[in-house]
Amino acid sequence: MADYKFLKPYTFEKKGITVKNRVVIPPMTEEMSFSNGEVTSDELRYYHMHSGGVGMFITGVANVNALGKGFEGELSAEDDKFIPSLRKLASAMHVNGTKAILQIFSAGRMSSTAILRGQQPVSASAVKATRNNSEVPRELTEEEIEQTIKDFGQATRRAIEAGFDGVEIHGANTYLIQQFFSPHSNRRTDKWGGSVEKRMTFPLAVVDEVENAIEKYADRPFLMGYRISPEEIEDPGIRFEDTLKLVDALKEKPLDYLHVSMGDVWRKSLNDKTITTPLNLTIKEHIGDLPLIGVGDIQTPSDAEKVLDNGLDFAAMGRESLREPHWVQKVMAGDEDAIRYTISPADHEELGLYGTFWDFLLTAFHSGLQLSSEPHTAEDRKEFNGILDHIFGGGK
């Protein structure tokens, strides 16, 4: 077995929690839950099958309230009735010592009236997203904002009771927390908006509420992570200098890790071509000892090792974990030549990619190639894996 850094254990010093290696499966949309947000048997099988090798496994998003739902087949942590379902999920993920992290979020304006069963999507301000078919959201009242913050705390309590090892606050991928931080979606003039400092108010309040819930309800060490997207392409939108201010504020909080969502772990600025250093390296300089999870186009052992060689603490693999559930095990066994880097449709059930998850992937495939059948030729498979790269480049 090669002496890779990513295979060595890591201890989160604030909580004294040790993970067996530095490989992480990031959150990915799989649309496998029931329509009410409960876990399905297909979902349990998928998580169980892909667990066991990595040190940490982060679930796809779980909404913290009914208005937070962003898509069909999404997990929910919005009510105590979901605790038994979440408990089954945490148990399925606890294979061979893998730590199970529940990602919690609200979709905000990245939802629709149809998904919300007639309710209008909500956001920081009544400004619709720039994506196609987006709807104008309703601006949250101050009372609703305060309640949403409390909902994040209650979702954390449920994660604790369900047996998870931590929660990840989803402040990335244009969802509600990011919407409050973004000058595009937040046009408020009260304490929740305006300057970059005021636009941090909601994200930081969520962090405080989650930490309060951990202190109050956790009967064991329990991790709190936070995920960011470092930039937006909208104008106005989040720029990297804004993110560094947020990062500087976050590192003063009792976070256990920061997770940067990007399709390329070595990506530079989308907006400022004078920035020649990968954003992750600059972020790591700002946060110092706070652990950083890098994600985006990490596939091979050398890819993962490069992440740690450059000072990042964890390497997260999304789409590659779908293709190869036993990636870590094969590296440890010195069997790297057997690692799969593509998916053949014939293997999708063997990989735990079936039901609504497989339908989701095929829908993206058909949409991208205008085909009506499964990819069956070698060229089809190449195109299919390219679309998979697009969907899960940084974990969604």
Side-chain angles (χ1 to χ4, degrees):
M1 181 178 70
D3 188 29
Y4 289 119
K5 295 183 183 70
F6 64 76
L7 291 178
K8 299 185 184 304
Y10 184 92
T11 299
F12 292 96
E13 292 185 358
K14 294 176 184 176
K15 302 292 172 61
I17 294 177
T18 298
V19 293
K20 62 183 182 179
N21 59 53
R22 319 292 188 87
V23 184
V24 177
I25 297 180
M28 290 182 283
T29 301
E30 23 91 356
E31 298 190 355
M32 295 176 82
S33 299
F34 285 114
S35 60
N36 71 344
E38 289 188 89
V39 178
T40 63
S41 57
D42 281 353
E43 199 164 19
L44 292 175
R45 184 183 171 198
Y46 159 72
Y47 276 99
H48 187 270
M49 184 178 299
H50 289 259
S51 226
V54 297
M56 289 200 306
F57 196 160
I58 306 168
T59 70
V61 292
N63 57 68
V64 302
N65 55 38
L67 282 175
K69 184 176 180 179
F71 52 87
E72 302 296 350
E74 179 180 288
L75 281 170
S76 182
E78 61 123 341
D79 191 274
D80 284 0
K81 69 182 180 182
F82 294 107
I83 294 175
S85 174
L86 293 170
R87 186 174 292 122
K88 291 178 182 178
L89 179 56
S91 178
M93 297 169 73
H94 282 146
V95 179
N96 194 30
T98 293
K99 301 298 184 183
I101 309 297
L102 182 71
Q103 189 185 60
I104 53 177
F105 96 135
S106 172
R109 70 180 184 179
M110 304 303 285
S111 188
S112 70
T113 302
I115 290 170
L116 298 177
R117 306 300 189 262
Q119 294 288 320
Q120 184 180 8
V122 297
S123 188
S125 299
V127 179
K128 73 174 186 176
T130 56
R131 70 175 184 176
N132 293 333
N133 303 316
S134 62
E135 300 178 21
V136 177
R138 175 176 64 80
E139 180 176 296
L140 286 164
T141 67
E142 185 157 345
E143 181 180 3
E144 288 175 318
I145 293 172
E146 296 285 0
Q147 182 58 54
T148 301
I149 293 168
K150 293 178 182 177
D151 291 340
F152 274 92
Q154 288 303 301
T156 301
R157 173 182 61 80
R158 294 177 188 116
I160 292 168
E161 293 186 19
F164 284 92
D165 302 292
V167 293
E168 179 173 282
I169 301 166
H170 195 3
N173 300 102
T174 74
Y175 294 124
L176 184 66
I177 294 177
Q178 182 175 324
Q179 288 163 34
F180 268 89
F181 184 54
S182 169
H184 183 274
S185 43
N186 187 347
R187 311 292 175 93
R188 302 178 75 100
T189 57
D190 58 7
K191 72 174 185 178
W192 303 103
S195 66
V196 64
E197 288 77 17
K198 287 188 174 181
R199 286 186 276 112
M200 291 183 203
T201 305
F202 181 79
L204 297 178
V206 170
V207 171
D208 289 341
E209 186 70 20
V210 168
E211 177 59 20
N212 289 339
I214 293 172
E215 291 182 357
K216 183 175 181 179
Y217 298 109
D219 57 357
R220 62 193 184 278
F222 192 84
L223 296 171
M224 175 174 63
Y226 191 99
R227 197 173 209 219
I228 63 168
S229 292
E231 293 179 302
E232 291 178 334
I233 59 174
E234 291 85 358
D235 188 13
I238 297 170
R239 297 298 180 259
F240 191 48
E241 61 184 31
D242 299 328
T243 290
L244 292 179
K245 292 178 181 178
L246 175 61
V247 165
D248 287 341
L250 287 171
K251 73 180 181 183
E252 301 302 321
K253 299 294 183 179
L255 287 174
D256 294 295
Y257 69 81
L258 186 69
H259 189 179
V260 182
S261 179
M262 290 193 291
D264 179 356
V265 69
W266 305 117
R267 200 193 82 197
K268 298 169 186 175
S269 176
L270 297 173
N271 305 295
D272 186 350
K273 300 309 178 184
T274 67
I275 295 177
T276 58
T277 301
L279 302 187
N280 271 321
L281 299 185
T282 302
I283 291 172
K284 182 58 182 174
E285 286 180 4
H286 272 251
I287 63 176
D289 293 336
L290 180 65
L292 181 66
I293 298 177
V295 67
D297 202 25
I298 302 169
Q299 301 186 53
T300 67
S302 61
D303 291 339
E305 193 70 356
K306 180 180 176 182
V307 170
L308 271 72
D309 283 342
N310 281 271
L312 278 63
D313 304 279
F314 290 89
M317 294 186 296
R319 59 189 182 273
E320 178 55 22
S321 73
L322 301 180
R323 297 164 176 155
E324 182 51 84
H326 302 117
W327 191 94
V328 171
Q329 293 92 325
K330 289 182 178 181
V331 173
M332 292 181 67
D335 199 15
E336 295 179 23
D337 290 342
I339 295 175
R340 287 185 274 202
Y341 292 105
T342 62
I343 289 178
S344 169
D347 296 336
H348 73 91
E349 290 190 1
E350 175 189 338
L351 297 172
L353 311 178
Y354 38 71
T356 52
F357 195 2
W358 186 241
D359 289 343
F360 168 61
L361 296 177
L362 286 181
T363 297
F365 174 74
H366 297 154
S367 175
L369 297 181
Q370 291 80 48
L371 296 179
S372 59
S373 61
E374 291 196 1
H376 58 279
T377 68
E379 188 61 29
D380 283 348
R381 288 195 294 274
K382 180 179 179 181
E383 294 286 355
F384 177 75
N385 281 275
I387 289 172
L388 192 70
D389 291 351
H390 176 71
I391 298 171
F392 294 122
K396 183 180 177 184

